[in-house]
């Protein structure tokens, strides 16, 4: 098979692979677009890379050439030769992976008109190269399609290239055109490339790409090209196979936007939301019932023991009308209450008697008009423990202060003290004496 036939065969092969990949990708995209997002998957957003298959192996074959666009080339005629390779790749995220490559083959260059600036008529180089590259997927996150079927990528890396070169100079060509002796060389090189992948199935992808290899040397073509580094290109097609469990997806083809949408669309999640709505509705209904007050007396129906109370009636906490005692005419005949008189309390109680209100009101009026300060001293009868009586006396003094402050007296002008059972004014051995000792008395300042 001559070079022209080989070139046409390879071109047809690449075209066929490209058409097949695009057709399959389009079919797969149509299927995924028409399906609703109810498919179950174990992978979750923010669930970690362990949810996916990340390793893959690939094989490829293609054509090599010494001509590279936008660079100074050793020869000027496109000459096809065979290249081949294999790869092992680990995808570390949706967009980034590391790939280990082996490539081998032959590069053939010809100067068709004898004008090469390096004096090369023809060269043939056999090479074997190994490299590690970083691969970046482009536009792998899509808002247009649910599932990726076509991925574009770029790559760059470094490795070692072992090559053996035969070449003939223009002078040698005029003398018979025999190639010079082969020379084996090892050099560091940098592969830089781009390509496109088509997802054929969940485990197989068609990979088409183009790579330019920059060799850190000057004699890849058999003659020094200093100061220009040697270079050659590799155009290839191949298949890539996903490794790992069939129950996991290849992270390269997962669209994180679709995954987040599926989680929000999940039927179980929507069911939980509906249950929460029902519960919230029940709570709102219960609160509404608690707030319902049919007779408008300020007590909710659920707690109203006397429903139907007439409007304007003063009620207690159970919704029943409060019956106030009629004024005692005998008390009304008495002289007005004297301010600063002692305030008496029931046994073991700090609750103010209603009979003490007039004295407290008179005391409050005098304090507010005069601006005086007063000390409120609490006492207790000698019943129970001394510690209990001391606290009881303080509570009694606080009750009086609270009443005065609520009636408008400045709290800063009222000081309280508790004396417990100390300083009695009557004999604690008699009931009448104990009654007199349960008191609060005022000390004006």
């Amino acid at each position: 098979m001559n070079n022209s036939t080989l070139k046409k065969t390879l071109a047809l092969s690449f075209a066929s692979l490209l058409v097949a990949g695009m057709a399959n990708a389009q079919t797969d995209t149509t299927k995924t677009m028409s399906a609703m997002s109810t498919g179950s998957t174990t992978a979750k957003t923010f669930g970690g890379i362990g949810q996916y298959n990340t390793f893959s192996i690939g094989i490829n074959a293609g054509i090599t050439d010494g001509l590279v666009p936008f660079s100074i080339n050793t020869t000027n005629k496109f000459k096809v030769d065979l290249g081949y390779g294999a790869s092992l790749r680990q995808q570390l995220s949706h967009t980034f992976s590391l790939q280990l490559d082996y490539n081998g083959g032959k590069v053939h260059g010809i100067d068709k008109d004898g004008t090469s600036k390096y004096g090369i008529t023809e060269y043939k180089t056999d090479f074997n190269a190994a490299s590690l590259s970083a691969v970046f997927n482009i536009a792998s996150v899509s808002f247009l399609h649910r599932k990726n079927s076509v991925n574009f990528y770029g790559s760059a890396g470094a490795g070692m290239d072992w090559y053996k070169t035969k070449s003939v100079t223009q002078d040698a060509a005029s003398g018979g055109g025999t190639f010079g002796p082969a020379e084996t060389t090892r050099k560091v090189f940098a592969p830089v490339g781009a390509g496109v992948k088509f997802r054929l199935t969940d485990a197989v992808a068609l990979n088409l790409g183009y790579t330019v290899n920059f060799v850190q040397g000057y004699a890849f073509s058999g003659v020094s090209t200093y100061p220009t580094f040697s270079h050659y290109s590799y155009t290839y097609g191949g298949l890539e196979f996903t490794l790992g469990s069939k129950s996991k997806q290849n992270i390269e083809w997962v669209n994180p936007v679709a995954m987040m949408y599926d989680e929000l669309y999940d039927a179980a999640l929507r069911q939980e939301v509906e249950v929460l709505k029902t519960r919230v509705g029940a709570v709102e209904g219960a609160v509404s019932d608690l707030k319902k007050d049919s007779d408008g007396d300020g007590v909710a129906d659920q707690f109203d023991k006397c429903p139907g109370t007439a409007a304007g009636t003063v009620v207690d906490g159970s919704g029943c009308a409060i019956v106030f005692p009629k004024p005692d005419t005998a008390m009304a005949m008495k002289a007005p209450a004297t301010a600063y008189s002692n305030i008496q309390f029931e046994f073991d109680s700090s609750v103010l008697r209603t009979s003490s209100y007039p004295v407290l009101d008179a005391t409050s009026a005098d304090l507010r008009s005069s601006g005086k300060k007063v000390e409120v001293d609490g006492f207790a009868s000698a019943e129970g423990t001394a510690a209990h009586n001391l606290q009881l006396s303080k509570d009694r003094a606080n009750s009086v202060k609270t009443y005065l402050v609520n009636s408008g007296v400045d709290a800063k002008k009222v000081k309280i003290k508790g004396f417990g059972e100390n300083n009695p004014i009557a004999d604690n051995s008699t009931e009448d004496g104990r009654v007199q000792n349960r008191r609060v008395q005022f000390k004006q300042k």
Side-chain angles (χ1 to χ4, degrees):
M1 181 183 295
N2 58 34
N3 285 334
S4 178
T5 304
L6 177 60
K7 185 189 304 183
K8 291 180 180 179
T9 302
L10 287 172
L12 288 173
S13 299
F14 277 118
S16 300
L17 287 172
L18 180 62
V19 172
M22 293 181 66
N24 189 81
Q26 180 63 36
T27 302
D28 186 79
T29 300
T30 303
K31 289 179 180 179
T32 55
M33 284 298 292
S34 61
M36 293 299 292
S37 58
T38 56
S40 61
T41 176
T42 57
K44 299 294 182 182
T45 305
F46 310 122
I49 199 170
Q51 305 174 104
Y52 307 98
N53 289 326
T54 58
F55 283 94
S56 60
I57 59 173
I59 55 174
N60 56 76
I63 56 176
T64 63
D65 190 63
L67 298 180
V68 174
F70 313 110
S71 183
I72 300 175
N73 297 298
T74 308
T75 56
N76 52 29
K77 182 178 181 181
F78 179 71
K79 190 70 176 179
V80 171
D81 257 305
L82 178 65
Y84 47 85
S87 64
L88 173 64
R89 183 171 59 87
Q90 183 181 17
Q91 194 77 27
L92 301 178
S93 70
H94 292 286
T95 58
F96 178 75
S97 62
L98 292 176
Q99 181 167 304
L100 185 64
D101 284 285
Y102 162 77
N103 290 104
K106 179 183 291 186
V107 180
H108 193 176
I110 296 177
D111 180 18
K112 64 181 179 180
D113 54 10
T115 60
S116 172
K117 64 176 291 186
Y118 298 105
I120 293 295
T121 302
E122 185 176 2
Y123 71 90
K124 293 181 180 179
T125 301
D126 296 317
F127 69 91
N128 289 279
S131 62
L132 179 65
S133 297
V135 183
F136 301 89
N137 288 342
I138 301 170
S140 59
V141 177
S142 175
F143 288 89
L144 300 178
H145 306 290
R146 286 190 43 78
K147 194 169 185 178
N148 294 337
S149 295
V150 180
N151 273 353
F152 297 91
Y153 64 89
S155 64
M160 192 66 67
D161 199 340
W162 292 263
Y163 56 89
K164 184 185 297 185
T165 302
K166 294 180 180 180
S167 63
V168 60
T169 64
Q170 294 172 0
D171 294 338
S174 62
T178 58
F179 287 89
E183 297 178 0
T184 302
T185 306
R186 182 183 67 180
K187 292 291 184 181
V188 173
F189 81 108
V192 179
V196 58
K197 289 182 185 177
F198 300 93
R199 187 172 64 86
L200 303 181
T201 69
D202 289 339
V204 182
L206 172 64
N207 187 10
L208 305 178
Y210 176 78
T211 301
V212 176
N213 299 293
F214 297 93
V215 181
Q216 193 178 27
Y218 309 100
F220 187 84
S221 58
V223 67
S224 176
T225 58
Y226 182 85
T228 303
F229 281 132
S230 298
H231 50 255
Y232 61 97
S233 66
Y234 178 41
T235 306
Y236 60 89
L239 296 176
E240 190 170 281
F241 304 91
T242 300
L243 303 178
S245 172
K246 292 183 179 180
S247 63
K248 295 182 179 181
Q249 296 175 291
N250 185 338
I251 188 174
E252 183 177 17
W253 301 110
V254 173
N255 183 5
V257 175
M259 179 184 296
M260 294 181 68
Y261 175 80
D262 286 341
E263 290 185 11
L264 295 174
Y265 192 82
D266 182 73
L269 179 60
R270 289 186 288 116
Q271 185 176 2
E272 290 180 7
V273 172
E274 292 301 323
V275 171
L276 288 175
K277 286 182 179 179
T278 303
R279 292 179 180 175
V280 171
V283 171
E284 289 177 344
V287 172
S288 178
D289 290 340
L290 287 173
K291 295 168 62 177
K292 188 176 181 181
D293 181 14
S294 301
D295 55 11
D297 60 1
V299 180
D301 289 352
Q302 291 193 15
F303 307 104
D304 198 339
K305 295 182 179 179
C306 300
T309 304
T313 302
V314 180
V315 298
D316 57 18
S318 62
C320 297
I322 298 176
V323 179
F324 294 96
K326 294 181 179 180
D328 189 343
T329 56
M331 291 292 294
M333 297 292 292
K334 293 184 177 179
T338 304
Y340 305 107
S341 298
N342 288 355
I343 306 298
Q344 302 298 135
F345 290 84
E346 297 292 340
F347 169 71
D348 197 26
S349 173
S350 60
V351 178
L352 293 171
R353 293 175 173 177
T354 56
S355 59
S356 64
Y357 292 168
V359 174
L360 292 172
D361 290 339
T363 303
S364 173
D366 185 69
L367 290 172
R368 285 184 282 117
S369 62
S370 65
K372 297 177 182 178
K373 294 183 180 180
V374 68
E375 180 179 293
V376 179
D377 298 332
F379 300 89
S381 58
E383 298 165 275
T385 66
H388 176 75
N389 290 333
L390 178 61
Q391 184 59 49
L392 180 60
S393 67
K394 292 179 180 178
D395 292 341
R396 287 170 174 170
N398 264 320
S399 296
V400 171
K401 178 179 180 178
T402 300
Y403 188 97
L404 295 174
V405 171
N406 287 341
S407 67
V409 177
D410 187 354
K412 296 179 180 179
K413 295 185 177 182
V414 182
K415 183 180 179 180
I416 66 167
K417 285 186 179 181
F419 293 90
E421 59 191 50
N422 297 327
N423 305 328
I425 59 174
D427 188 356
N428 274 311
S429 63
T430 66
E431 179 60 28
D432 182 62
R434 289 192 291 270
V435 168
Q436 295 182 59
N437 290 332
R438 300 167 191 149
R439 72 193 189 281
V440 163
Q441 60 188 44
F442 297 95
K443 184 184 294 184
Q444 300 183 55
K445 293 186 175 181

